[in-house]
Amino acid sequence: MALLFPAVGLGLLWKAVTMTRAYRHYGTVELVMTPYPAAIGGQMGGTILVPRLRAQDLITPGAEVTVTLECIYTYVSGSGKNRSRVERILWAERGTPRVEAAGPGVRLAFSFDLPKDLPEADAERSSRYHFWRLSVKADIEGVDLERQYDIPAFKGDARSQSAGHDISAQVRALRDEKSRAAKEAIQSGRLDLPGLSRAMHYQDYGHQIKMRFPMFRNKVLTLFAWVFAGGFGFASSMMLMSAFSGGGFGLLAGLFTIPFVLVAIAASAAALYLPFNRLVVRIDRHRIRTLRSWLYLPVRSRKLAMNQVRHLAIKRTGSTGQGVDKVEHFKLIAVDNQQNKITIAEDLDGQDVAQHFCDYLAERIGVSAISEPNIKATGL
């Protein structure tokens, strides 16, 4: 603890030096918005003038400039000395702006399409509020450029008049391109895509398909569960120790520790289950068989006759990361004629990859596939 405050101080000093150096290097970086304010249901667009950034600096190998727009919900978590502000990104897009020469510097032009169901920026900033943030970042040799702008955004349908470079169209085109590439790869039997091979080992023997989902495939979730369990476990133990030494008041305080203890137990169970659970799926022309195990100890096995399979579908199971780095995870389920569901694949990354694999496997085993991401699967 004695070294914590000097380390924090050095970190703040380094940040201040870096920001001062970047300001002196690039000068005032001005944002001009069109329309103003940004229109939720329309567009946010504009230009960013960087007076001391040369256009040739952006065409050197490794140089990259991006513009990111985020809708953020922020709130204060904790109490007392443990209060901290948390940001949750509700929507985000990132792309490459158009670069125009502007005297000795450059002008970056861009526009975004804003979905109409997103919240407006809150004029009053309390402990909980929504705001919109525009960020520009240029990774170039020497001093990197990085600026952020808190922008007003309200309901409307106004379009950008001057930008003319649609980042949202760029994002959609890139996603469509990746989706087509994934579909072509999966349809040709190449299942070594990152969204599939991270968690699944697929083998097709002709007469039988075998899919293995090994232990330790959920490293990020496991780490989160361990941290969560450790935090709540420590808090629960401290609260219980205080309760036992507090007499009658301690008994009352002990009642308030019950939710913390229950969360700690649940998180500990998840921390033990996630890294060591394993799923093996075998599919032949007669049936689907699944075996869930923990440390190779059988937990549950299920069977489903092929003539009882109604269709295959995907279901969203969660996500990791947020904003432009958010990755959604899906499972693949088989649904029988009585609407019973059985998980036959899991930890598939990305909706497009999951749906393409669902379509491929359904065609391979001779059943139908539907796109029904909100269907709920039960059982292990």
Side-chain angles (χ1 to χ4, degrees):
M1 289 296 293
L3 298 177
L4 177 60
F5 291 105
V8 172
L10 289 174
L12 293 175
L13 178 61
W14 174 253
K15 182 68 174 179
V17 170
T18 302
M19 292 177 64
T20 302
R21 184 184 177 206
Y23 176 79
R24 294 183 62 183
H25 188 83
Y26 293 110
T28 301
V29 180
E30 181 183 7
L31 166 67
V32 178
M33 292 177 56
T34 58
Y36 184 89
I40 301 174
Q43 286 188 323
M44 182 272 157
T47 59
I48 296 176
L49 177 63
V50 190
R52 299 178 187 171
L53 176 61
R54 300 176 304 172
Q56 54 265 38
D57 291 336
L58 297 176
I59 60 175
T60 58
E64 182 183 22
V65 58
T66 58
V67 177
T68 306
L69 181 62
E70 299 168 315
C71 175
I72 302 170
Y73 173 65
T74 181
Y75 60 94
V76 175
S77 177
S79 60
K81 296 181 179 180
N82 297 320
R83 289 164 59 91
S84 61
R85 182 160 290 280
V86 179
E87 291 186 357
R88 183 158 58 91
I89 301 175
L90 306 180
W91 175 89
E93 282 188 344
R94 174 187 294 162
T96 304
R98 185 176 69 237
V99 179
E100 306 169 345
V106 297
R107 181 179 289 108
L108 310 176
F110 57 90
S111 66
F112 293 89
D113 300 328
L114 308 190
K116 62 182 180 180
D117 58 343
L118 293 174
E120 297 181 338
D122 290 322
E124 295 185 4
R125 303 292 174 91
S126 58
S127 60
R128 298 171 178 266
Y129 60 89
H130 295 91
F131 73 101
W132 287 72
R133 180 168 62 204
L134 179 74
S135 305
V136 57
K137 184 176 182 180
D139 294 325
I140 55 180
E141 185 177 356
V143 181
D144 290 341
L145 169 67
E146 189 168 357
R147 294 287 192 277
Q148 293 183 343
Y149 305 88
D150 188 339
I151 66 170
F154 301 99
K155 299 293 184 180
D157 57 4
R159 311 289 293 179
S160 178
Q161 299 298 318
S162 63
H165 188 80
D166 195 341
I167 299 291
S168 298
Q170 189 181 114
V171 170
R172 290 191 295 269
L174 181 60
R175 175 179 172 174
D176 290 344
E177 180 183 347
K178 290 182 177 180
S179 180
R180 284 194 299 270
K183 183 177 182 179
E184 292 174 1
I186 292 173
Q187 286 181 338
S188 65
R190 293 186 289 112
L191 304 180
D192 56 349
L193 303 177
L196 296 177
S197 61
R198 177 188 67 83
M200 180 180 70
H201 297 167
Y202 181 94
Q203 295 171 298
D204 192 333
Y205 299 102
H207 67 286
Q208 183 187 79
I209 295 172
K210 181 179 180 181
M211 294 180 286
R212 293 185 298 112
F213 300 84
M215 295 186 292
F216 305 109
R217 64 186 180 276
N218 290 309
K219 298 179 179 63
V220 175
L221 289 177
T222 298
L223 178 62
F224 177 79
W226 277 104
V227 172
F228 202 70
F232 272 87
F234 178 77
S236 300
S237 62
M238 292 296 100
M239 294 173 70
L240 287 173
M241 289 175 61
S242 299
F244 287 142
S245 61
F249 178 77
L251 180 61
L252 180 62
L255 296 177
F256 289 96
T257 67
I258 294 177
F260 288 87
V261 172
L262 294 177
V263 171
I265 292 174
S268 299
L272 291 173
Y273 175 77
L274 282 172
F276 303 116
N277 91 89
R278 181 172 177 264
L279 176 65
V280 178
V281 180
R282 291 180 172 87
I283 305 175
D284 57 35
R285 62 180 181 176
H286 300 295
R287 66 183 64 85
I288 297 174
R289 293 173 293 167
T290 69
L291 175 63
R292 177 81 64 177
S293 59
W294 185 80
L295 282 176
Y296 292 98
L297 300 175
V299 175
R300 187 179 185 184
S301 63
R302 302 187 66 182
K303 296 180 181 180
L304 179 61
M306 289 300 298
N307 59 11
Q308 293 295 312
V309 178
R310 184 175 182 179
H311 60 258
L312 304 185
I314 63 172
K315 177 188 179 294
R316 183 180 181 274
T317 57
S319 63
T320 52
Q322 62 172 339
V324 295
D325 299 318
K326 181 178 180 180
V327 178
E328 293 186 320
H329 308 295
F330 291 81
K331 64 167 60 175
L332 176 58
I333 57 177
V335 183
D336 69 11
N337 294 326
Q338 285 73 45
Q339 293 298 312
N340 297 312
K341 299 105 183 176
I342 178 173
T343 299
I344 60 174
E346 60 188 13
D347 300 317
L348 309 178
D349 299 336
Q351 182 172 353
D352 290 341
V353 169
Q355 188 62 56
H356 293 327
F357 178 66
C358 177
D359 296 339
Y360 169 81
L361 187 61
E363 182 178 0
R364 171 66 179 81
I365 64 178
V367 300
S368 62
I370 63 172
S371 177
E372 196 174 1
N374 294 323
I375 193 169
K376 294 184 178 180
T378 58
L380 294 172

